[in-house]
Amino acid sequence: MQQILNFLIKHKTFLLFLLLITISLFLTIQSHSYHKSKFINSANVLTGGVYEVTNNLSSYFNLKKENEILLEENNRLKSILYNVEMDTLKAVFKYPILSSQYKFKSARVTKNSYSATNNYLTINKGQRDSITQDLGVITSKGIIGIIDYTSKKYARVMSILNTNIRINAQLKKTNHFGSLTWDSESPQFVQLLDLPIQSPISVGDTIVTGGRSTIFPKGIYIGQVASFKIDDTENSYKVNVKLFNDMTNLGHVHVINNLDKSEISTLNSPDE
Amino acid sequence: MNNIILKNSIRFIILILVQTLVLNHINFLGYINPYIYVLFIILFPIKNNRLFFIFISFLLGLIVDLFLDSGGIHAAACVTIAYIRPMVLKFVFGMTYEHQTIKFSSTEFGQRFSYFSMIIFIHHIILFSLEIFNSSKIILILKKTLFSSIFTIILCLLITILFSRKKR
């Protein structure tokens, strides 16, 4: 017993070092798996609060740009509105509340990163605003990511610029789909893998979300095909997609809540 | 004594805030960021309780991790450099370190430079290998380590020169 104690006292520095490095390696490895990094994230009171304060200041500098984006979107929506016959419009909006499957909430990005290999954003809405895990986040131009952890007032978003993310995506003109990943090379490009070789793809085609998952509705814009090649297995394409969104400059975002989500997921896993 | 504690606590807070709110948004050439918060570990008083020093370094790394959503990579890198700092000090300063008489502001530039660059390089290589965590991307790890280290070393040296109070 005496010897063990002596050993512990003699090597206490090394043992402390070992303990602390094990904790940090544990946290690191945990953060590499989806939905596990509960302890270390920027959606807590301390870091979320600090980011909120600084973002309150810096968001003023982007007001002009934000206004332009809003105007652009208004223009687009108005051009749709006034180019459709009134009768069809009435038919569409006849049951506006009953038929709405998706609910939107706006939020502001208080922290953004795009240079690491696993990027996360922090937004200033949380459980208090009924935001939960696994909701989709988009802007008017395209998708941003998926909510990955929430606290009372803040939520962390796993950006599409994260090597752990997989999003179902498809060609706009046909229904061929693949999964969207990121190879951590450039914040402007993401990769669409496993797109079947039968799909009639060409440079400049638009890629949209697939709607096969419950997170994103079908048809939200992602980006344009920049280049593509046949991958090693020779039966699917690897497509380089240029994002419509400028991920380095994000202001306001929308969070999508799919109200039928629990219903769909119980359908898909009936035996559990 | 109180003066030293106060000085280091202020340094701790300011370095974390500067790091997370300003320096992580530089992204020079797309991916090069300096990590100057290591300056806290580099400049920590040499006469110290080693257990406390390792623990406070861990805390420093963990808080930076909290801000940057990076799991535990900064904590791991910080703990390691805090643990090996005495060896680096002994290697660079030799006898003067043994007598615990060095003051960083009064050391020669060459010695200070090699001390800074060794600590920073070790910190960065651990940081980026844990961040990327993929042996097939070893070139990317080395590239990031090299360029970010150069950036960090330059900034750290400039900061220490700028904030050193030399009585002439």
Side-chain angles (χ1 to χ4, degrees):
Chain A
M1 194 61 197
Q2 184 71 35
Q3 292 220 323
I4 298 174
L5 277 180
N6 274 343
F7 174 82
L8 284 181
I9 291 168
K10 201 174 157 196
H11 295 277
K12 59 179 193 274
T13 337
F14 183 68
L15 288 173
L16 179 72
F17 166 68
L18 223 58
L19 173 75
L20 293 179
I21 203 135
T22 322
I23 296 174
S24 40
L25 286 181
F26 169 73
L27 291 172
T28 309
I29 291 165
Q30 215 185 27
S31 77
H32 281 264
S33 50
Y34 184 47
H35 275 182
K36 287 266 178 68
S37 41
K38 295 260 151 61
F39 311 114
I40 301 300
N41 60 63
S42 59
N44 59 38
V45 181
L46 172 76
T47 52
V50 172
Y51 278 131
E52 170 94 37
V53 168
T54 50
N55 187 259
N56 273 338
L57 294 174
S58 61
S59 62
Y60 281 102
F61 299 107
N62 289 327
L63 278 182
K64 202 175 167 194
K65 174 96 183 162
E66 286 291 325
N67 271 334
E68 275 165 18
I69 293 173
L70 271 181
L71 264 180
E72 226 169 78
E73 192 178 11
N74 270 340
N75 271 340
R76 195 175 60 84
L77 292 176
K78 276 201 175 117
S79 69
I80 295 172
L81 192 66
Y82 293 125
N83 285 328
V84 180
E85 295 281 321
M86 250 0 236
D87 291 346
T88 37
L89 259 185
K90 269 181 190 157
V92 169
F93 290 115
K94 205 170 179 186
Y95 307 106
I97 296 162
L98 283 178
S99 61
S100 61
Q101 186 191 347
Y102 296 103
K103 243 172 116 179
F104 288 80
K105 273 218 164 67
S106 67
R108 205 174 67 218
V109 175
T110 54
K111 176 235 165 186
N112 184 12
S113 81
Y114 47 88
S115 61
T117 46
N118 294 315
N119 294 296
Y120 295 94
L121 319 171
T122 308
I123 58 173
N124 66 342
K125 291 276 164 76
Q127 284 156 7
R128 232 174 31 177
D129 311 277
S130 68
I131 283 176
T132 54
Q133 227 169 50
D134 285 330
L135 301 188
V137 180
I138 61 170
T139 68
S140 54
K141 284 181 182 167
I143 63 168
I144 298 291
I146 299 171
I147 303 266
D148 147 269
Y149 181 80
T150 53
S151 68
K152 228 174 203 149
K153 283 156 74 180
Y154 307 100
R156 184 169 78 159
V157 183
M158 185 185 254
S159 156
I160 41 172
L161 304 181
N162 188 312
T163 47
N164 294 326
I165 206 164
R166 298 278 179 283
I167 292 175
N168 179 277
Q170 68 171 55
L171 290 177
K172 195 187 174 195
K173 54 182 181 184
T174 66
N175 273 329
H176 295 99
F177 65 92
S179 62
L180 202 70
T181 60
W182 189 52
D183 64 359
S184 70
E185 296 277 319
S186 154
Q188 287 181 334
F189 294 94
V190 292
Q191 281 68 39
L192 181 64
L193 305 179
D194 302 328
L195 188 72
I197 205 154
Q198 291 85 359
S199 45
I201 187 172
S202 57
V203 172
D205 281 359
T206 306
I207 305 286
V208 297
T209 53
R212 274 171 193 80
S213 73
T214 52
I215 296 173
F216 291 105
K218 188 176 173 173
I220 291 177
Y221 286 118
I222 296 172
Q224 257 182 345
V225 176
S227 66
F228 60 92
K229 63 174 189 215
I230 296 169
D231 73 0
D232 305 332
T233 56
E234 301 213 326
N235 50 25
S236 56
Y237 284 121
K238 183 175 188 256
V239 186
N240 219 2
V241 182
K242 187 171 192 312
L243 292 169
F244 289 129
N245 260 324
D246 181 4
M247 292 299 287
T248 60
N249 181 17
L250 295 174
H252 286 82
V253 294
H254 307 284
V255 181
I256 310 174
N257 195 353
N258 185 350
L259 298 176
D260 295 347
K261 187 188 217 163
S262 53
E263 200 177 328
I264 295 171
S265 50
T266 44
L267 260 184
N268 287 341
S269 56
D271 300 326
E272 278 167 24
Chain B
M1 195 61 206
N2 271 328
N3 190 19
I4 295 176
I5 294 173
L6 188 71
K7 211 167 100 183
N8 275 291
S9 327
I10 292 172
R11 193 185 281 155
F12 187 85
I13 296 166
I14 286 186
L15 278 176
I16 287 177
L17 287 180
V18 168
Q19 178 64 46
T20 51
L21 300 179
V22 182
L23 295 175
N24 270 87
H25 301 285
I26 289 183
N27 292 318
F28 183 58
L29 298 182
Y31 58 90
I32 303 171
N33 275 333
Y35 292 95
I36 60 142
Y37 70 94
V38 257
L39 211 56
F40 176 79
I41 298 171
I42 291 176
L43 296 182
F44 201 77
I46 288 171
K47 265 188 193 166
N48 60 46
N49 180 350
R50 228 174 134 206
L51 290 180
F52 176 73
F53 175 51
I54 290 179
F55 186 72
I56 199 87
S57 307
F58 175 72
L59 213 63
L60 173 77
L62 204 66
I63 294 177
V64 174
D65 273 329
L66 269 177
F67 273 100
L68 303 181
D69 286 305
S70 47
I73 58 176
H74 290 276
C78 282
V79 168
T80 319
I81 56 168
Y83 182 69
I84 61 164
R85 193 179 84 140
M87 297 158 217
V88 178
L89 277 171
K90 203 182 256 174
F91 177 77
V92 175
F93 296 106
M95 280 307 284
T96 33
Y97 166 67
E98 296 280 296
H99 300 297
Q100 316 240 327
T101 49
I102 37 171
K103 273 198 160 175
F104 290 111
S105 49
S106 59
T107 48
E108 271 177 49
F109 181 77
Q111 279 184 330
R112 209 190 320 168
F113 177 74
S114 49
Y115 168 57
F116 275 39
S117 42
M118 273 169 82
I119 294 261
I120 288 170
F121 191 75
I122 295 167
H123 174 268
H124 280 41
I125 204 156
I126 295 168
L127 183 72
F128 288 118
S129 16
L130 283 179
E131 188 200 319
I132 295 167
F133 218 57
N134 190 342
S135 57
S136 63
K137 284 187 180 156
I138 192 125
I139 299 293
L140 184 68
I141 294 174
L142 291 177
K143 204 169 74 177
K144 272 192 160 180
T145 308
L146 182 69
F147 292 133
S148 289
S149 300
I150 292 171
F151 201 172
T152 312
I153 292 167
I154 292 173
L155 262 185
C156 283
L157 286 172
L158 284 180
I159 288 169
T160 46
I161 290 168
L162 208 64
F163 285 94
S164 70
R165 270 169 280 160
K166 247 184 199 160
K167 293 183 183 102
R168 291 173 207 198

